[in-house]
Amino acid sequence: SQQGEEDPQALSIQEGENATMNCSYKTSINNLQWYRQNSGRGLVHLILIRSNEREKHSGRLRVTLDTSKKSSSLLITASRAADTASYFCAVYNQGGKLIFGQGTELSVKP
Amino acid sequence: EPEVTQTPSHQVTQMGQEVILRCVPISNHLYFYWYRQILGQKVEFLVSFYNNEISEKSEIFDDQFSVERPDGSNFTLKIRSTKLEDSAMYFCASSLQGGGEKLFFGSGTQLSVL
């Protein structure tokens, strides 16, 4: 399967700490995206990193991509209780599909 | 900010019945998608649609499923004869461009098949 697989499956941290989530995939990709899902809601796009990029920032988010290792990481700095959600990576390949991983459930305790 | 809207938010149906899930994508978007998420599981791709045709579909999207853009604004997913295992949250998404650009998702329709 070419889908992204997140690690860890669940992460619990205290407010103010950083949260790091990892994603691995199996095939070549055009880009990799991270989405967030609050419980029972739709997915919200966070950030897209293309296969020729190594790092990207957006506010408190930092994404890295290592195509040689077929892996990506999402770092949320100075986490807040409102960051509590599930985070999914998704990979797009030449097949024309955006495929999601299993997700990491992040819990940020106040 | 423009958003993708889905109706109804929750649909309950009997096994074997037909259901139609409705979506209004963002108005200037050209690419449309359906995904589903069984409770506690990952978000699964069903189908993508562009220029009034299916672009890609997954193995889940069998003959029981069909999609349609009946007018300039709606995008529908029909399940002809629902099964218990069709119970899931169904998400519609749209994008301005294809090629894996970012998707905008609706809030989903929770389908419960009894």
Side-chain angles (χ1 to χ4, degrees), chain A residues 21-100:
Chain A
M21 289 159 267
N22 302 297
C23 171
S24 60
Y25 57 92
K26 294 182 180 177
T27 64
S28 61
I29 59 171
N30 291 343
N31 68 52
L32 185 143
Q33 304 180 33
W34 286 90
Y35 287 78
R36 166 194 166 126
Q37 184 183 34
N38 285 74
S39 180
R41 304 298 303 269
L43 291 96
V44 175
H45 181 268
L46 295 175
I47 199 163
L48 180 155
I49 187 164
R50 300 191 189 281
S51 59
N52 61 352
E53 297 175 309
R54 292 295 167 258
E55 189 170 311
K56 206 160 182 180
H57 296 255
S58 176
R60 291 184 297 113
L61 306 181
R62 174 178 161 243
V63 169
T64 61
L65 179 65
D66 186 336
T67 52
S68 67
K69 295 181 180 176
K70 292 187 165 55
S71 68
S72 173
S73 67
L74 170 68
L75 169 68
I76 304 174
T77 60
S79 63
R80 305 166 184 166
D83 294 327
T84 295
S86 292
Y87 292 82
F88 295 87
C89 69
V91 296
Y92 176 77
N93 63 9
Q94 282 86 4
K97 303 175 189 176
L98 191 65
I99 305 296
F100 288 83

Side-chain angles (χ1 to χ4, degrees), chain A residues 3 5 30-31 33 35 37 40-45 48 50 88 92 94-103, chain B residues 33 35 37 40-45 48 56-59 89 91 98-108:
Chain A
Q3 68 198 29
E5 298 295 341
N30 291 343
N31 68 52
Q33 304 180 33
Y35 287 78
Q37 184 183 34
R41 304 298 303 269
L43 291 96
V44 175
H45 181 268
L48 180 155
R50 300 191 189 281
F88 295 87
Y92 176 77
Q94 282 86 4
K97 303 175 189 176
L98 191 65
I99 305 296
F100 288 83
Q102 294 274 10
Chain B
Y33 312 84
Y35 284 80
Q37 185 179 33
Q41 298 187 24
K42 66 180 186 288
V43 178
E44 298 175 293
F45 171 83
S48 59
E56 292 285 336
K57 60 182 181 179
S58 72
E59 55 274 11
M89 180 75 92
F91 292 106
E101 295 304 310
K102 79 178 197 180
L103 270 55
F104 292 78
F105 281 82
S107 294

Side-chain angles (χ1 to χ4, degrees), chain B residues 1-112:
Chain B
E1 184 173 307
E3 57 181 24
V4 176
T5 56
Q6 289 186 244
T7 55
S9 57
H10 197 171
Q11 173 102 40
V12 181
T13 190
Q14 295 289 326
M15 193 168 57
Q17 295 295 305
E18 174 183 289
V19 294
I20 297 176
L21 309 183
R22 302 180 191 279
C23 170
V24 179
I26 294 173
S27 61
N28 63 336
H29 284 188
L30 301 175
Y31 297 80
F32 314 112
Y33 312 84
W34 283 101
Y35 284 80
R36 79 172 187 191
Q37 185 179 33
I38 295 170
L39 184 64
Q41 298 187 24
K42 66 180 186 288
V43 178
E44 298 175 293
F45 171 83
L46 292 179
V47 66
S48 59
F49 191 87
Y50 169 71
N51 200 26
N52 279 322
E53 288 186 341
I54 290 174
S55 309
E56 292 285 336
K57 60 182 181 179
S58 72
E59 55 274 11
I60 302 168
F61 194 88
D62 61 22
D63 292 343
Q64 293 297 314
F65 291 87
S66 62
V67 289
E68 193 179 29
R69 188 153 162 83
D71 53 43
S73 59
N74 290 283
F75 179 51
T76 62
L77 174 69
K78 181 193 290 187
I79 310 175
R80 286 191 187 79
S81 178
T82 50
K83 308 182 186 85
L84 294 176
E85 54 265 34
D86 293 328
S87 295
M89 180 75 92
Y90 288 79
F91 292 106
C92 173
S94 68
S95 64
L96 180 59
Q97 297 172 329
E101 295 304 310
K102 79 178 197 180
L103 270 55
F104 292 78
F105 281 82
S107 294
T109 293
Q110 178 65 55
L111 176 65
S112 300

